[in-house]
Amino acid sequence: MSGLRRLFSHAGGRIGGGILIVYLLLALAGIFALVPHDPLTMFPAARLQAPTVTHIMGTDLFGRDVFSRLAVGVRTS
């Protein structure tokens, strides 16, 4: 327990821990299929959109939801 306390007492440890928690939450979303859109479905009209309520992290060049693709991709890695 003292090792965790020492790790999180430094700013780098807190940042790394935060990144790890976000990564684990994304993995859980992918495992339990809590993604808002099918990661392979293309929406040509929604190409390269900025983040909105519909697409939390925006869309890519083909109009695919970035959050859904990231959550499913984390599951495999």
Side-chain angles (χ1 to χ4, degrees), residues 24-70:
L24 290 174
L25 289 174
L26 278 171
L28 287 174
I31 288 171
F32 295 114
L34 299 174
V35 291
H37 301 283
D38 181 23
L40 300 176
T41 302
M42 295 184 199
F43 301 101
R47 293 180 56 215
L48 298 173
Q49 283 188 350
T52 61
V53 175
T54 308
H55 301 285
I56 299 169
M57 293 181 145
T59 59
D60 66 0
L61 183 64
F62 300 107
R64 298 174 296 200
D65 186 54
V66 174
F67 175 76
S68 298
R69 293 181 60 78
L70 186 63

Side-chain angles (χ1 to χ4, degrees), residues 4-20:
L4 285 176
R5 188 173 298 133
R6 278 191 334 186
L7 180 66
F8 287 113
S9 68
H10 299 297
R14 286 190 298 270
I15 291 170
I19 291 170
L20 182 63

